[in-house]
Amino acid sequence: MQGKKYYQEKLFNRFQLSERVPETNFYRRLKEALDLDFLYPMTKVYYGSSGQKSIDPIVFFKLCLVGYLENVTSDRKLVDHCSLRLDILYFLGYDIDEELPWHSTISRTRQLFPEAVFEEVFTKVFGMCVEKGMVSGHTQAIDSAPVKANASMDSLELKVPEEELGEYLKRVRQMSSMDREVPFRKSKGNRADNEQRGITASQKELDAIASRNRKWAKDQDQRPGAGNKGSKYTSNKTHYSPTDPDARISVKPGKARKLNYLSQLTVDTANHVITDIKAYHADGKDNQQLPDIVDRVQRRLWKEGLLWENCVADTGYSSGENYALLEQKGLKSFIPPHGTYKGGPENFIYDQNEDHYVCPQGKVIPFTKEFLDGRTQTRKKEYRARKHVCVGCPIRSSCLGRSAQEKKFSVTYYREEYQRNIERVNSPQGRYMKGKRQSTVEPVFGTLTQFMGLRKINTLGLAQANKAMQLSAIAYNIKKYLKFTGKRTKSGAGSIVLNNCMENVLHKSICFLFGTIKMSGNTFV
């Protein structure tokens, strides 16, 4: 007989979330595994003693984690999404007839708590991973990636003094037809301080920017579709974002120039657990930020009783200062050097004991002085031969050039550290570490940006961007933790297999014993 379902809402009913959420549900398992009670005494100082009660700090963090686990970056959409999911309501501790916090409350609470609170939650989850044996500690892979800031390139403003800079740019900039068609969008307010608005570029740097503008205008006018839409060449030296002053202009090869933050990520190679993440200004270099990264990671691993041995990173982190720093901390660096590093002129032989070079003609080029490079601010050593040494040399013209009278060149102060690192990188272990880095930290970045809400920073300021990256990393580690522990849940199958194996071993032992007694002619009682 055909059935037909009629629906009529009941005035009273009996309903329990705990009965409707399965035992194997992700959020039910997460509710049992994650203990955030330490947040109550830690965040109490950020509230007053009177007035309306705020959102529970544990509920706030759980809501934020759900947003990154579900890849929902809007607070308004997050509240709507959670209200439709029974398992998420159970995880948050809300019943079906309870209203979730207002979306603006989440935003205000995120600004209320400092970065230290978010980092403490990250450390708590990281400690859970260490307890389960997910982190080895001995090898850490480091990489960086730009994350789009919540600011538009159209709202950029020139740095002051506006009168001098405006006249200068009018004189040197070669505006393309596409630039003139792009409308200028004024920001609603200027959040930048006086230091950010002031121009600090030298005349030489401004001339270089003018040269880039001319080349940029020529290239943009010649590309297909240049008459439709485009943008002019901009630099952090001459422009800033009034909407988000901490955002910086940066670009990757083949991609458009955007206002970004730089995310520095460290991953343990054992089970791809994130050991550290932090937001930096996008105009900084990776090798400048490595010392801060190493200090934080080593401190966190030391607190968990783990020993760090190998530091693996790409060429962007290469510098003599970094190689020396890692050796001082007892770490082995596997960081390929820049292609410009040669360790001295070609075909020149270095004598380490005497600290001089020998040219192809057998002449000695001695060490003269140590100095600080004005452009890169790195320590270097100068080697210089006397004028009479190069007089009459058969290769003088090719070695010195047209005007030079004596051979002079500079080499990094950390040449020995470079050579030891190059030897490690080119070894079989170094080639293994390169593949390990490519298969470890790079996929983690892809997961964070595509599936963990880190495609774009929706907040303003470096501190708020750091909180977003911390939450994304916490969500990633939690997912890794539950997957790792789920594989090792006792189901009873292992004990059954073990019992069968023991029975087989016992049976074979008895048969062997009976056979031995029978062959010896003895009677077994």
Side-chain angles (χ1 to χ4, degrees), residues 27 33 55 123 172 185 221 244 257 307 327-328 340 346 352-353 373 387 404 406 482 492-493:
Y27 286 104
I55 180 177
T123 304
V172 302
R185 186 170 67 186
D221 284 336
D244 188 358
R257 302 171 69 82
L307 180 63
E327 288 188 1
Q328 291 173 4
T340 55
E346 189 176 359
Q352 185 174 353
N353 295 328
D373 188 284
K387 184 177 180 180
E406 55 193 17
L482 291 182

Side-chain angles (χ1 to χ4, degrees), residues 230-276:
S231 60
K232 51 185 173 293
Y233 182 86
T234 50
S235 169
N236 291 305
K237 297 289 185 181
T238 57
H239 293 77
Y240 73 97
S241 171
T243 307
D244 188 358
D246 287 338
R248 297 289 188 270
I249 304 168
S250 65
V251 61
K252 293 194 73 174
K255 294 187 178 181
R257 302 171 69 82
K258 294 179 181 178
L259 286 165
N260 295 321
Y261 286 100
L262 190 65
S263 176
Q264 292 284 357
L265 181 70
T266 307
V267 180
D268 186 83
T269 57
N271 288 285
H272 299 192
V273 174
I274 298 175
T275 54
D276 186 74

Side-chain angles (χ1 to χ4, degrees), residues 454-482:
L454 210 59
R455 183 185 293 271
K456 178 183 177 182
I457 300 296
N458 287 335
T459 54
L460 299 177
L462 188 64
Q464 299 299 322
N466 192 32
K467 295 175 186 178
M469 293 180 186
Q470 293 275 356
L471 287 169
S472 182
I474 293 169
Y476 178 89
N477 282 349
I478 281 177
K479 206 166 184 178
K480 278 281 182 183
Y481 174 84
L482 291 182

Side-chain angles (χ1 to χ4, degrees), residues 20 81 87 97 108 124 159-160 168 184 198 201 223-224 242 244 263 266 330 349 354 368-369 388 454 478 525:
R20 294 303 180 99
H81 179 79
D87 56 347
D97 58 345
R108 290 196 300 269
K124 169 70 175 179
K159 291 188 175 183
V160 292
Y168 177 83
F184 180 77
R223 73 177 180 86
D244 188 358
S263 176
T266 307
I349 301 174
E354 300 295 334
T368 54
K369 66 177 181 178
H388 69 272
L454 210 59
I478 281 177
V525 179

Side-chain angles (χ1 to χ4, degrees), residues 81-93:
H81 179 79
C82 293
S83 62
L84 299 176
R85 291 276 298 273
L86 297 182
D87 56 347
I88 296 179
L89 290 175
Y90 180 74
F91 171 64
L92 298 174

Side-chain angles (χ1 to χ4, degrees), residues 95 111 121 124 132 135-136 141 155 167 195 203 214 249 274 276 279 289 301 316-317 338 353 367 374 464 523 525:
D95 214 332
Q111 297 177 10
V121 177
K124 169 70 175 179
K132 291 297 180 180
V135 183
S136 63
S155 62
E167 293 299 324
E195 183 179 358
Q203 186 63 37
R214 288 191 290 270
I249 304 168
I274 298 175
D276 186 74
Q289 295 151 1
L301 293 175
Y317 297 87
H338 286 290
N353 295 328
F367 164 75
Q464 299 299 322
T523 303
V525 179

